[in-house]
Every structure is written in C-alpha cells, then in structure tokens.
Amino acid sequence: GIQVEQSPPDLILQEGANSTLRCNFSDSVNNLQWFHQNPWGQLINLFYIPSGTKQNGRLSATTVATERYSLLYISSSQTTDSGVYFCAADSGYSTLTFGKGTMLLVSP
Amino acid sequence: EADIYQTPRYLVIGTGKKITLECSQTMGHDKMYWYQQDPGMELHLIHYSYGVNSTEKGDLSSESTVSRIRTEHFPLTLESARPSHTSQYLCASSGGTGGSGNTIYFGEGSWLTVV
C-alpha cells in the first residue's frame, strides 16, 4: 500500500511564528487530507486536498501531486494550534493511510 | 461541523468482560470506519464499512467485531477484553458527492482501559 511520511516529527514554536509541515507519499493519490488532533484526542479535518492549494484563515495547504508531497502552512501560530498534525493519503485502491504525525507545541 | 457521536467516551472494565463501543452519525454517510490509536502514536484502521451489511477488516489485526445493520450506526464489540486492548478507539465516516465526499469526519473517541 501507499507509504506516508511526515516531517518534522516534533516542532516547538513561539507564539506568532510561522511553520511548514511536510507530507511525502509514495504513490499517486486521489485523496489526501490534513487533520489536527487536539490535546484531548479530538481529530478535526483541516483540508481535503489531493492537488492544488487551499486556504482557511491562518492555515493553508498545497499538494504537488506530480512530485508526491503536500505542505501545511501555519502562519502567526497561536497556543491553540498545539497538538498533532496528521496527513493521510489514499491512492484509490484502499482506504486512507495515516502518517505518524507532527507534534506541534506553541509556547506563549 | 460533523455530527458523529461515540459512547462511552471513557470506560474502565475488567479483563474478560464484553464491551460494545457505540458510534452513530446523522450525515447519511455510506462509509464508516473504526481506528485504534495509542497515545501519541499513529492511527491504525481496524474495521470499515461501505454500506449496510458491508464490513471489512482493516490493516491492523483486531480481536474486535463490527456490524452495520443501519446506515447511521456502526458499533464495535470486544467479546473478551484484555489489557492489550487498552487504547483510544476513533469512529469516523465519509460520504456525499464529488471529491469532497472523501472527507473523513471523526467522533470524539472512546478511551478504553482494561484492568
């Protein structure tokens, strides 16, 4: 099946800083999603983005399908952005495969 | 916002007990999923369903079973709980039309501790 790798595994930021999270995948995808898991375990879908660029407030995501990677940008980070960010992908032959996540800590 | 509900949210049970984790969604989604996640770790798919009377095992071997008798309901059952089953169980669903119909929505999770 498809392999999904995320980097960096951990990230510590000062409030107000910007960051970029990366997701590499091993096959062409017809489904790629980014999620945020808060400290209480709740998973929230951020973007459905198999290709192209989307923006939602301070967050934006870009997927370059031909080069098999996706980026999640967080601008002007806030403490509430802390948590784990997961990328998940599906090449169309199965269900979503999740990466191991990037743990983000934003300090005041 | 997603309308997908899990009960119980937290449960501590003894070894050997039978437990059913409930999951319901009000979005009319055809596809439903159960994931298992240990704290700080990645998600592993244990069961999924593409519609009523359809269930499949996921990537991670699990001693649990599921049923899909109604579109909105996808319960997960452990016949005999063991300490190794201690984990968070996340239910999810997806559906709708077009590419965005692949968007997955998660419930709040059920934290199970087997003592």
Side-chain angles (χ1 to χ4, degrees):
Chain A
I2 192 170
Q3 305 297 313
V4 179
E5 295 183 357
Q6 293 185 242
S7 60
D10 304 283
L11 187 58
I12 300 175
L13 300 174
Q14 284 279 333
E15 199 167 26
N18 302 327
S19 63
T20 301
L21 282 57
R22 188 178 179 101
C23 172
N24 292 331
F25 40 91
S26 62
D27 200 354
S28 57
V29 296
N30 69 347
N31 186 352
L32 188 133
Q33 300 183 38
W34 283 96
F35 299 86
H36 174 226
Q37 188 169 39
N38 65 25
W40 297 271
Q42 172 76 52
L43 269 161
I44 302 297
N45 188 289
L46 298 176
F47 294 103
Y48 167 79
I49 187 165
S51 64
T53 297
K54 290 185 178 179
Q55 180 158 6
N56 184 2
R58 296 181 296 103
L59 302 181
S60 64
T62 295
T63 297
V64 183
T66 54
E67 297 188 22
R68 299 184 182 174
Y69 72 87
S70 182
L71 302 174
L72 178 69
Y73 305 97
I74 305 173
S75 64
S76 304
S77 58
Q78 301 175 358
T79 56
T80 52
D81 294 331
S82 296
V84 183
Y85 289 81
F86 288 100
C87 169
D90 172 19
S91 59
Y93 300 107
S94 184
T95 53
L96 280 177
T97 296
F98 281 76
K100 293 186 177 183
T102 292
M103 183 172 290
L104 174 65
L105 175 63
V106 181
S107 58
Chain B
E1 289 298 321
D3 295 316
I4 181 165
Y5 308 99
Q6 291 186 237
T7 57
R9 291 291 319 283
Y10 305 93
L11 182 64
V12 180
I13 62 171
T15 297
K17 297 294 185 182
K18 179 180 179 178
I19 176 66
T20 296
L21 304 180
E22 301 287 349
C23 177
S24 295
Q25 51 94 5
T26 59
M27 298 170 284
H29 287 170
D30 290 331
K31 300 176 183 176
M32 296 189 73
Y33 314 84
W34 277 103
Y35 289 86
Q36 183 175 346
Q37 184 188 30
D38 293 330
M41 304 297 284
E42 62 203 283
L43 280 75
H44 293 286
L45 181 67
I46 52 175
H47 295 284
Y48 62 99
S49 168
Y50 284 168
V52 171
N53 295 325
S54 155
T55 61
E56 300 287 343
K57 290 186 179 295
D59 305 321
L60 181 68
S61 176
S62 173
E63 294 167 335
S64 58
T65 59
V66 292
S67 63
R68 189 87 183 277
I69 299 173
R70 292 180 287 144
T71 298
E72 63 271 22
H73 195 215
F74 192 42
L76 180 144
T77 297
L78 279 167
E79 291 292 334
S80 180
R82 299 190 297 181
S84 61
H85 295 139
T86 294
S87 190
Q88 181 181 205
Y89 294 83
L90 291 154
C91 182
S93 71
S94 65
T97 58
S100 63
N102 289 324
T103 300
I104 283 188
Y105 298 95
F106 281 87
E108 292 182 301
S110 293
W111 290 90
L112 175 64
T113 300
V114 184
V115 298

mmCIF file of all heavy atoms in Angstrom, chain A residues 30-31 33 35 37 40-45 48 84 86 94-101 103, chain B residues 9 33 35 37 40-43 45 48 50 59 88 90 99-100 102-104 106-108 111:
data_model
loop_
_atom_site.group_PDB
_atom_site.id
_atom_site.type_symbol
_atom_site.label_atom_id
_atom_site.label_comp_id
_atom_site.label_asym_id
_atom_site.label_seq_id
_atom_site.Cartn_x
_atom_site.Cartn_y
_atom_site.Cartn_z
ATOM 1 N N ASN A 30 -5.528 9.983 -5.009
ATOM 2 C CA ASN A 30 -6.794 10.617 -5.366
ATOM 3 C C ASN A 30 -7.475 11.179 -4.134
ATOM 4 O O ASN A 30 -8.582 11.695 -4.211
ATOM 5 C CB ASN A 30 -7.723 9.628 -6.093
ATOM 6 C CG ASN A 30 -8.218 8.532 -5.176
ATOM 7 O OD1 ASN A 30 -7.709 8.355 -4.085
ATOM 8 N ND2 ASN A 30 -9.221 7.805 -5.607
ATOM 9 N N ASN A 31 -6.808 11.069 -2.996
ATOM 10 C CA ASN A 31 -7.375 11.544 -1.742
ATOM 11 C C ASN A 31 -6.220 11.868 -0.813
ATOM 12 O O ASN A 31 -5.396 11.002 -0.512
ATOM 13 C CB ASN A 31 -8.280 10.464 -1.133
ATOM 14 C CG ASN A 31 -9.017 10.942 0.100
ATOM 15 O OD1 ASN A 31 -8.771 12.033 0.615
ATOM 16 N ND2 ASN A 31 -9.932 10.129 0.579
ATOM 17 N N GLN A 33 -5.637 14.240 2.853
ATOM 18 C CA GLN A 33 -6.287 15.080 3.864
ATOM 19 C C GLN A 33 -5.297 15.410 4.972
ATOM 20 O O GLN A 33 -4.421 14.612 5.297
ATOM 21 C CB GLN A 33 -7.516 14.360 4.444
ATOM 22 C CG GLN A 33 -8.566 14.034 3.381
ATOM 23 C CD GLN A 33 -9.812 13.384 3.931
ATOM 24 O OE1 GLN A 33 -10.275 13.725 5.006
ATOM 25 N NE2 GLN A 33 -10.365 12.452 3.161
ATOM 26 N N PHE A 35 -5.229 16.647 9.069
ATOM 27 C CA PHE A 35 -6.029 16.665 10.293
ATOM 28 C C PHE A 35 -5.219 17.298 11.430
ATOM 29 O O PHE A 35 -3.995 17.208 11.451
ATOM 30 C CB PHE A 35 -6.401 15.245 10.732
ATOM 31 C CG PHE A 35 -7.232 14.482 9.739
ATOM 32 C CD1 PHE A 35 -6.621 13.772 8.723
ATOM 33 C CD2 PHE A 35 -8.606 14.463 9.837
ATOM 34 C CE1 PHE A 35 -7.370 13.049 7.814
ATOM 35 C CE2 PHE A 35 -9.369 13.743 8.930
ATOM 36 C CZ PHE A 35 -8.746 13.035 7.912
ATOM 37 N N GLN A 37 -5.131 16.973 15.613
ATOM 38 C CA GLN A 37 -5.622 16.292 16.814
ATOM 39 C C GLN A 37 -5.276 17.140 18.031
ATOM 40 O O GLN A 37 -4.089 17.370 18.296
ATOM 41 C CB GLN A 37 -5.030 14.891 16.950
ATOM 42 C CG GLN A 37 -5.657 14.087 18.087
ATOM 43 C CD GLN A 37 -5.267 12.629 18.044
ATOM 44 O OE1 GLN A 37 -4.133 12.282 17.743
ATOM 45 N NE2 GLN A 37 -6.221 11.746 18.333
ATOM 46 N N TRP A 40 -6.909 16.718 23.664
ATOM 47 C CA TRP A 40 -7.926 15.849 24.233
ATOM 48 C C TRP A 40 -8.255 14.673 23.305
ATOM 49 O O TRP A 40 -9.152 13.892 23.583
ATOM 50 C CB TRP A 40 -9.197 16.648 24.521
ATOM 51 C CG TRP A 40 -8.939 17.698 25.548
ATOM 52 C CD1 TRP A 40 -9.033 17.591 26.894
ATOM 53 C CD2 TRP A 40 -8.469 19.042 25.286
ATOM 54 N NE1 TRP A 40 -8.673 18.766 27.489
ATOM 55 C CE2 TRP A 40 -8.321 19.664 26.542
ATOM 56 C CE3 TRP A 40 -8.177 19.761 24.127
ATOM 57 C CZ2 TRP A 40 -7.881 20.990 26.667
ATOM 58 C CZ3 TRP A 40 -7.734 21.073 24.259
ATOM 59 C CH2 TRP A 40 -7.592 21.657 25.518
ATOM 60 N N GLY A 41 -7.541 14.576 22.183
ATOM 61 C CA GLY A 41 -7.701 13.440 21.296
ATOM 62 C C GLY A 41 -8.657 13.638 20.139
ATOM 63 O O GLY A 41 -8.783 12.754 19.289
ATOM 64 N N GLN A 42 -9.345 14.760 20.081
ATOM 65 C CA GLN A 42 -10.305 15.016 19.013
ATOM 66 C C GLN A 42 -9.579 15.313 17.703
ATOM 67 O O GLN A 42 -8.699 16.161 17.658
ATOM 68 C CB GLN A 42 -11.205 16.189 19.382
ATOM 69 C CG GLN A 42 -12.125 16.657 18.267
ATOM 70 C CD GLN A 42 -13.320 15.747 18.055
ATOM 71 O OE1 GLN A 42 -14.028 15.450 18.984
ATOM 72 N NE2 GLN A 42 -13.523 15.310 16.833
ATOM 73 N N LEU A 43 -9.971 14.627 16.644
ATOM 74 C CA LEU A 43 -9.391 14.835 15.315
ATOM 75 C C LEU A 43 -10.313 15.714 14.487
ATOM 76 O O LEU A 43 -11.490 15.399 14.305
ATOM 77 C CB LEU A 43 -9.210 13.505 14.600
ATOM 78 C CG LEU A 43 -7.880 12.794 14.772
ATOM 79 C CD1 LEU A 43 -8.019 11.340 14.409
ATOM 80 C CD2 LEU A 43 -6.809 13.434 13.914
ATOM 81 N N ILE A 44 -9.757 16.800 13.958
ATOM 82 C CA ILE A 44 -10.522 17.726 13.132
ATOM 83 C C ILE A 44 -9.929 17.731 11.730
ATOM 84 O O ILE A 44 -8.717 17.873 11.563
ATOM 85 C CB ILE A 44 -10.475 19.149 13.706
ATOM 86 C CG1 ILE A 44 -11.008 19.168 15.140
ATOM 87 C CG2 ILE A 44 -11.276 20.111 12.834
ATOM 88 C CD1 ILE A 44 -12.447 18.762 15.272
ATOM 89 N N ASN A 45 -10.798 17.596 10.749
ATOM 90 C CA ASN A 45 -10.345 17.655 9.370
ATOM 91 C C ASN A 45 -10.035 19.103 8.992
ATOM 92 O O ASN A 45 -10.879 19.981 9.160
ATOM 93 C CB ASN A 45 -11.420 17.081 8.465
ATOM 94 C CG ASN A 45 -10.930 16.936 7.042
ATOM 95 O OD1 ASN A 45 -10.733 17.916 6.338
ATOM 96 N ND2 ASN A 45 -10.721 15.707 6.619
ATOM 97 N N TYR A 48 -9.201 18.816 2.643
ATOM 98 C CA TYR A 48 -9.213 17.749 1.657
ATOM 99 C C TYR A 48 -8.513 18.328 0.435
ATOM 100 O O TYR A 48 -9.018 19.261 -0.184
ATOM 101 C CB TYR A 48 -10.641 17.327 1.325
ATOM 102 C CG TYR A 48 -10.740 16.449 0.106
ATOM 103 C CD1 TYR A 48 -10.430 15.104 0.180
ATOM 104 C CD2 TYR A 48 -11.144 16.971 -1.127
ATOM 105 C CE1 TYR A 48 -10.515 14.297 -0.937
ATOM 106 C CE2 TYR A 48 -11.223 16.176 -2.242
ATOM 107 C CZ TYR A 48 -10.910 14.832 -2.145
ATOM 108 O OH TYR A 48 -10.987 14.029 -3.260
ATOM 109 N N VAL A 84 -1.219 17.465 17.448
ATOM 110 C CA VAL A 84 -0.560 16.641 16.441
ATOM 111 C C VAL A 84 -1.256 16.835 15.100
ATOM 112 O O VAL A 84 -2.492 16.802 15.029
ATOM 113 C CB VAL A 84 -0.577 15.144 16.831
ATOM 114 C CG1 VAL A 84 0.191 14.325 15.802
ATOM 115 C CG2 VAL A 84 0.008 14.945 18.215
ATOM 116 N N PHE A 86 -1.778 15.389 11.383
ATOM 117 C CA PHE A 86 -1.662 14.163 10.600
ATOM 118 C C PHE A 86 -1.988 14.435 9.135
ATOM 119 O O PHE A 86 -2.914 15.185 8.816
ATOM 120 C CB PHE A 86 -2.630 13.086 11.101
ATOM 121 C CG PHE A 86 -2.253 12.466 12.419
ATOM 122 C CD1 PHE A 86 -2.858 12.871 13.592
ATOM 123 C CD2 PHE A 86 -1.302 11.458 12.471
ATOM 124 C CE1 PHE A 86 -2.529 12.293 14.803
ATOM 125 C CE2 PHE A 86 -0.963 10.876 13.677
ATOM 126 C CZ PHE A 86 -1.570 11.289 14.850
ATOM 127 N N SER A 94 -7.532 1.557 -1.824
ATOM 128 C CA SER A 94 -7.823 1.115 -0.455
ATOM 129 C C SER A 94 -8.380 2.288 0.338
ATOM 130 O O SER A 94 -8.988 3.186 -0.224
ATOM 131 C CB SER A 94 -6.536 0.572 0.172
ATOM 132 O OG SER A 94 -6.791 0.057 1.459
ATOM 133 N N THR A 95 -8.192 2.236 1.624
ATOM 134 C CA THR A 95 -8.641 3.303 2.499
ATOM 135 C C THR A 95 -7.468 4.222 2.825
ATOM 136 O O THR A 95 -6.333 3.955 2.451
ATOM 137 C CB THR A 95 -9.219 2.712 3.788
ATOM 138 O OG1 THR A 95 -8.256 1.818 4.346
ATOM 139 C CG2 THR A 95 -10.497 1.936 3.507
ATOM 140 N N LEU A 96 -7.740 5.303 3.544
ATOM 141 C CA LEU A 96 -6.701 6.263 3.889
ATOM 142 C C LEU A 96 -5.619 5.631 4.750
ATOM 143 O O LEU A 96 -5.905 4.892 5.685
ATOM 144 C CB LEU A 96 -7.297 7.439 4.654
ATOM 145 C CG LEU A 96 -8.007 8.527 3.882
ATOM 146 C CD1 LEU A 96 -8.579 9.553 4.845
ATOM 147 C CD2 LEU A 96 -7.053 9.211 2.906
ATOM 148 N N THR A 97 -4.369 5.961 4.420
ATOM 149 C CA THR A 97 -3.227 5.589 5.257
ATOM 150 C C THR A 97 -2.724 6.849 5.926
ATOM 151 O O THR A 97 -2.466 7.861 5.249
ATOM 152 C CB THR A 97 -2.113 4.966 4.406
ATOM 153 O OG1 THR A 97 -2.589 3.744 3.829
ATOM 154 C CG2 THR A 97 -0.886 4.672 5.261
ATOM 155 N N PHE A 98 -2.562 6.789 7.247
ATOM 156 C CA PHE A 98 -2.115 7.948 8.015
ATOM 157 C C PHE A 98 -0.607 7.922 8.203
ATOM 158 O O PHE A 98 0.000 6.855 8.389
ATOM 159 C CB PHE A 98 -2.784 7.968 9.386
ATOM 160 C CG PHE A 98 -4.189 8.486 9.374
ATOM 161 C CD1 PHE A 98 -5.226 7.704 8.906
ATOM 162 C CD2 PHE A 98 -4.472 9.766 9.836
ATOM 163 C CE1 PHE A 98 -6.533 8.190 8.880
ATOM 164 C CE2 PHE A 98 -5.770 10.250 9.823
ATOM 165 C CZ PHE A 98 -6.796 9.467 9.346
ATOM 166 N N GLY A 99 -0.008 9.113 8.193
ATOM 167 C CA GLY A 99 1.376 9.244 8.603
ATOM 168 C C GLY A 99 1.480 9.205 10.118
ATOM 169 O O GLY A 99 0.467 9.122 10.821
ATOM 170 N N LYS A 100 2.715 9.301 10.626
ATOM 171 C CA LYS A 100 2.927 9.221 12.071
ATOM 172 C C LYS A 100 2.698 10.549 12.764
ATOM 173 O O LYS A 100 2.722 10.626 13.991
ATOM 174 C CB LYS A 100 4.329 8.690 12.360
ATOM 175 C CG LYS A 100 4.509 7.245 11.924
ATOM 176 C CD LYS A 100 5.854 6.686 12.341
ATOM 177 C CE LYS A 100 5.943 5.217 11.945
ATOM 178 N NZ LYS A 100 7.211 4.595 12.380
ATOM 179 N N GLY A 101 2.500 11.598 12.007
ATOM 180 C CA GLY A 101 2.140 12.879 12.587
ATOM 181 C C GLY A 101 3.320 13.777 12.911
ATOM 182 O O GLY A 101 4.462 13.322 13.030
ATOM 183 N N MET A 103 4.119 16.539 15.893
ATOM 184 C CA MET A 103 3.649 17.103 17.149
ATOM 185 C C MET A 103 4.123 18.549 17.255
ATOM 186 O O MET A 103 5.320 18.817 17.244
ATOM 187 C CB MET A 103 4.155 16.299 18.339
ATOM 188 C CG MET A 103 3.614 16.815 19.673
ATOM 189 S SD MET A 103 4.026 15.751 21.053
ATOM 190 C CE MET A 103 3.017 14.350 20.689
ATOM 191 N N ARG B 9 -17.429 7.723 26.259
ATOM 192 C CA ARG B 9 -16.207 8.473 25.992
ATOM 193 C C ARG B 9 -15.042 7.876 26.776
ATOM 194 O O ARG B 9 -13.925 7.816 26.281
ATOM 195 C CB ARG B 9 -16.377 9.927 26.407
ATOM 196 C CG ARG B 9 -17.333 10.735 25.556
ATOM 197 C CD ARG B 9 -16.792 10.984 24.140
ATOM 198 N NE ARG B 9 -15.379 11.314 24.107
ATOM 199 C CZ ARG B 9 -14.859 12.480 24.417
ATOM 200 N NH1 ARG B 9 -15.644 13.462 24.802
ATOM 201 N NH2 ARG B 9 -13.550 12.686 24.352
ATOM 202 N N TYR B 33 -15.847 3.990 9.641
ATOM 203 C CA TYR B 33 -14.545 3.409 9.949
ATOM 204 C C TYR B 33 -14.341 3.355 11.452
ATOM 205 O O TYR B 33 -14.877 4.180 12.194
ATOM 206 C CB TYR B 33 -13.410 4.275 9.361
ATOM 207 C CG TYR B 33 -13.619 4.726 7.942
ATOM 208 C CD1 TYR B 33 -14.369 5.865 7.655
ATOM 209 C CD2 TYR B 33 -13.030 4.043 6.881
ATOM 210 C CE1 TYR B 33 -14.556 6.290 6.355
ATOM 211 C CE2 TYR B 33 -13.209 4.469 5.567
ATOM 212 C CZ TYR B 33 -13.973 5.583 5.319
ATOM 213 O OH TYR B 33 -14.144 6.008 4.014
ATOM 214 N N TYR B 35 -10.881 3.312 13.923
ATOM 215 C CA TYR B 35 -9.436 3.380 14.049
ATOM 216 C C TYR B 35 -9.052 3.148 15.508
ATOM 217 O O TYR B 35 -9.794 3.507 16.427
ATOM 218 C CB TYR B 35 -8.900 4.754 13.628
ATOM 219 C CG TYR B 35 -8.975 5.028 12.156
ATOM 220 C CD1 TYR B 35 -10.124 5.547 11.581
ATOM 221 C CD2 TYR B 35 -7.876 4.782 11.328
ATOM 222 C CE1 TYR B 35 -10.189 5.812 10.225
ATOM 223 C CE2 TYR B 35 -7.933 5.045 9.962
ATOM 224 C CZ TYR B 35 -9.096 5.549 9.425
ATOM 225 O OH TYR B 35 -9.163 5.808 8.076
ATOM 226 N N GLN B 37 -5.908 3.993 18.226
ATOM 227 C CA GLN B 37 -4.749 4.872 18.376
ATOM 228 C C GLN B 37 -4.253 4.844 19.804
ATOM 229 O O GLN B 37 -4.993 5.184 20.738
ATOM 230 C CB GLN B 37 -5.093 6.313 17.993
ATOM 231 C CG GLN B 37 -3.902 7.252 18.047
ATOM 232 C CD GLN B 37 -4.269 8.703 17.869
ATOM 233 O OE1 GLN B 37 -5.366 9.128 18.231
ATOM 234 N NE2 GLN B 37 -3.367 9.495 17.306
ATOM 235 N N GLY B 40 -0.207 9.393 21.441
ATOM 236 C CA GLY B 40 0.963 9.924 20.751
ATOM 237 C C GLY B 40 1.400 9.145 19.538
ATOM 238 O O GLY B 40 2.444 9.442 18.956
ATOM 239 N N MET B 41 0.609 8.169 19.160
ATOM 240 C CA MET B 41 1.015 7.295 18.054
ATOM 241 C C MET B 41 0.108 7.501 16.841
ATOM 242 O O MET B 41 -0.848 8.266 16.879
ATOM 243 C CB MET B 41 0.978 5.844 18.504
ATOM 244 C CG MET B 41 1.816 5.541 19.742
ATOM 245 S SD MET B 41 3.567 5.817 19.475
ATOM 246 C CE MET B 41 3.965 4.363 18.499
ATOM 247 N N GLU B 42 0.443 6.799 15.750
ATOM 248 C CA GLU B 42 -0.350 6.944 14.528
ATOM 249 C C GLU B 42 -1.671 6.184 14.636
ATOM 250 O O GLU B 42 -1.850 5.362 15.540
ATOM 251 C CB GLU B 42 0.452 6.407 13.348
ATOM 252 C CG GLU B 42 0.780 4.916 13.447
ATOM 253 C CD GLU B 42 1.983 4.541 12.622
ATOM 254 O OE1 GLU B 42 1.842 4.435 11.387
ATOM 255 O OE2 GLU B 42 3.054 4.361 13.213
ATOM 256 N N LEU B 43 -2.584 6.460 13.718
ATOM 257 C CA LEU B 43 -3.875 5.796 13.686
ATOM 258 C C LEU B 43 -3.765 4.513 12.860
ATOM 259 O O LEU B 43 -3.106 4.496 11.810
ATOM 260 C CB LEU B 43 -4.924 6.702 13.039
ATOM 261 C CG LEU B 43 -5.538 7.788 13.892
ATOM 262 C CD1 LEU B 43 -4.559 8.937 14.087
ATOM 263 C CD2 LEU B 43 -6.828 8.295 13.261
ATOM 264 N N LEU B 45 -6.260 1.577 11.056
ATOM 265 C CA LEU B 45 -7.611 1.179 10.676
ATOM 266 C C LEU B 45 -7.855 -0.269 11.090
ATOM 267 O O LEU B 45 -7.075 -1.164 10.726
ATOM 268 C CB LEU B 45 -7.779 1.331 9.162
ATOM 269 C CG LEU B 45 -9.132 0.978 8.587
ATOM 270 C CD1 LEU B 45 -10.190 1.973 9.064
ATOM 271 C CD2 LEU B 45 -9.079 0.966 7.058
ATOM 272 N N TYR B 48 -13.859 -1.275 8.605
ATOM 273 C CA TYR B 48 -14.563 -0.272 7.839
ATOM 274 C C TYR B 48 -15.767 -0.886 7.160
ATOM 275 O O TYR B 48 -15.888 -2.118 7.037
ATOM 276 C CB TYR B 48 -13.653 0.441 6.841
ATOM 277 C CG TYR B 48 -13.037 -0.421 5.760
ATOM 278 C CD1 TYR B 48 -13.588 -0.473 4.489
ATOM 279 C CD2 TYR B 48 -11.866 -1.135 6.010
ATOM 280 C CE1 TYR B 48 -12.997 -1.230 3.495
ATOM 281 C CE2 TYR B 48 -11.275 -1.905 5.025
ATOM 282 C CZ TYR B 48 -11.833 -1.938 3.763
ATOM 283 O OH TYR B 48 -11.252 -2.698 2.777
ATOM 284 N N TYR B 50 -18.634 0.055 3.822
ATOM 285 C CA TYR B 50 -19.020 0.912 2.716
ATOM 286 C C TYR B 50 -20.538 1.007 2.563
ATOM 287 O O TYR B 50 -21.032 1.601 1.609
ATOM 288 C CB TYR B 50 -18.378 0.449 1.425
ATOM 289 C CG TYR B 50 -16.913 0.806 1.293
ATOM 290 C CD1 TYR B 50 -16.118 0.252 0.300
ATOM 291 C CD2 TYR B 50 -16.312 1.698 2.171
ATOM 292 C CE1 TYR B 50 -14.769 0.584 0.187
ATOM 293 C CE2 TYR B 50 -14.972 2.038 2.071
ATOM 294 C CZ TYR B 50 -14.208 1.470 1.067
ATOM 295 O OH TYR B 50 -12.883 1.800 0.952
ATOM 296 N N ASP B 59 -6.254 -2.649 8.273
ATOM 297 C CA ASP B 59 -4.847 -3.012 8.161
ATOM 298 C C ASP B 59 -4.311 -3.653 9.435
ATOM 299 O O ASP B 59 -3.408 -4.481 9.389
ATOM 300 C CB ASP B 59 -4.009 -1.761 7.855
ATOM 301 C CG ASP B 59 -4.521 -1.045 6.628
ATOM 302 O OD1 ASP B 59 -4.904 -1.733 5.666
ATOM 303 O OD2 ASP B 59 -4.537 0.201 6.634
ATOM 304 N N GLN B 88 -7.257 4.214 22.591
ATOM 305 C CA GLN B 88 -8.343 5.065 22.154
ATOM 306 C C GLN B 88 -8.909 4.509 20.847
ATOM 307 O O GLN B 88 -8.143 4.158 19.954
ATOM 308 C CB GLN B 88 -7.901 6.511 21.943
ATOM 309 C CG GLN B 88 -9.073 7.407 21.502
ATOM 310 C CD GLN B 88 -8.740 8.867 21.243
ATOM 311 O OE1 GLN B 88 -9.592 9.725 21.344
ATOM 312 N NE2 GLN B 88 -7.496 9.156 20.928
ATOM 313 N N LEU B 90 -11.376 5.398 17.682
ATOM 314 C CA LEU B 90 -11.954 6.544 16.977
ATOM 315 C C LEU B 90 -12.851 6.052 15.848
ATOM 316 O O LEU B 90 -12.433 5.268 15.000
ATOM 317 C CB LEU B 90 -10.843 7.422 16.402
ATOM 318 C CG LEU B 90 -10.013 8.181 17.423
ATOM 319 C CD1 LEU B 90 -8.626 8.487 16.883
ATOM 320 C CD2 LEU B 90 -10.719 9.466 17.816
ATOM 321 N N GLY B 99 -15.564 14.953 -5.131
ATOM 322 C CA GLY B 99 -14.315 14.617 -4.466
ATOM 323 C C GLY B 99 -14.348 14.890 -2.980
ATOM 324 O O GLY B 99 -13.798 14.133 -2.186
ATOM 325 N N SER B 100 -15.006 15.984 -2.593
ATOM 326 C CA SER B 100 -15.032 16.300 -1.161
ATOM 327 C C SER B 100 -15.838 15.285 -0.379
ATOM 328 O O SER B 100 -15.805 15.289 0.854
ATOM 329 C CB SER B 100 -15.612 17.706 -0.951
ATOM 330 O OG SER B 100 -16.947 17.762 -1.406
ATOM 331 N N ASN B 102 -15.006 12.455 -0.074
ATOM 332 C CA ASN B 102 -13.995 11.626 0.576
ATOM 333 C C ASN B 102 -13.559 12.190 1.912
ATOM 334 O O ASN B 102 -12.813 11.542 2.636
ATOM 335 C CB ASN B 102 -12.777 11.491 -0.340
ATOM 336 C CG ASN B 102 -13.068 10.623 -1.551
ATOM 337 O OD1 ASN B 102 -13.805 9.648 -1.448
ATOM 338 N ND2 ASN B 102 -12.507 10.972 -2.683
ATOM 339 N N THR B 103 -13.982 13.402 2.247
ATOM 340 C CA THR B 103 -13.571 13.999 3.515
ATOM 341 C C THR B 103 -14.053 13.149 4.671
ATOM 342 O O THR B 103 -15.225 12.770 4.723
ATOM 343 C CB THR B 103 -14.136 15.419 3.637
ATOM 344 O OG1 THR B 103 -13.651 16.212 2.559
ATOM 345 C CG2 THR B 103 -13.722 16.054 4.949
ATOM 346 N N ILE B 104 -13.142 12.841 5.584
ATOM 347 C CA ILE B 104 -13.463 11.994 6.731
ATOM 348 C C ILE B 104 -13.712 12.855 7.958
ATOM 349 O O ILE B 104 -12.944 13.779 8.243
ATOM 350 C CB ILE B 104 -12.332 10.989 6.992
ATOM 351 C CG1 ILE B 104 -12.416 9.847 5.973
ATOM 352 C CG2 ILE B 104 -12.391 10.414 8.395
ATOM 353 C CD1 ILE B 104 -11.487 8.714 6.254
ATOM 354 N N PHE B 106 -14.390 12.671 12.157
ATOM 355 C CA PHE B 106 -14.168 11.798 13.303
ATOM 356 C C PHE B 106 -15.084 12.140 14.465
ATOM 357 O O PHE B 106 -15.425 13.310 14.686
ATOM 358 C CB PHE B 106 -12.716 11.914 13.785
ATOM 359 C CG PHE B 106 -11.740 11.126 12.956
ATOM 360 C CD1 PHE B 106 -11.168 11.675 11.819
ATOM 361 C CD2 PHE B 106 -11.396 9.829 13.316
ATOM 362 C CE1 PHE B 106 -10.270 10.947 11.056
ATOM 363 C CE2 PHE B 106 -10.498 9.097 12.553
ATOM 364 C CZ PHE B 106 -9.939 9.657 11.423
ATOM 365 N N GLY B 107 -15.444 11.112 15.232
ATOM 366 C CA GLY B 107 -16.068 11.321 16.518
ATOM 367 C C GLY B 107 -15.024 11.729 17.533
ATOM 368 O O GLY B 107 -13.829 11.837 17.231
ATOM 369 N N GLU B 108 -15.466 11.947 18.776
ATOM 370 C CA GLU B 108 -14.564 12.430 19.821
ATOM 371 C C GLU B 108 -13.699 11.335 20.421
ATOM 372 O O GLU B 108 -12.794 11.619 21.188
ATOM 373 C CB GLU B 108 -15.366 13.121 20.918
ATOM 374 C CG GLU B 108 -16.014 14.426 20.455
ATOM 375 C CD GLU B 108 -16.748 15.111 21.580
ATOM 376 O OE1 GLU B 108 -17.675 14.499 22.145
ATOM 377 O OE2 GLU B 108 -16.381 16.261 21.894
ATOM 378 N N TRP B 111 -12.104 6.256 25.027
ATOM 379 C CA TRP B 111 -10.875 5.821 25.711
ATOM 380 C C TRP B 111 -11.212 4.584 26.546
ATOM 381 O O TRP B 111 -12.004 4.653 27.467
ATOM 382 C CB TRP B 111 -10.359 6.933 26.620
ATOM 383 C CG TRP B 111 -9.820 8.106 25.884
ATOM 384 C CD1 TRP B 111 -10.507 9.214 25.480
ATOM 385 C CD2 TRP B 111 -8.465 8.311 25.462
ATOM 386 N NE1 TRP B 111 -9.657 10.096 24.833
ATOM 387 C CE2 TRP B 111 -8.397 9.567 24.813
ATOM 388 C CE3 TRP B 111 -7.294 7.554 25.573
ATOM 389 C CZ2 TRP B 111 -7.216 10.067 24.281
ATOM 390 C CZ3 TRP B 111 -6.117 8.067 25.035
ATOM 391 C CH2 TRP B 111 -6.086 9.305 24.396
#
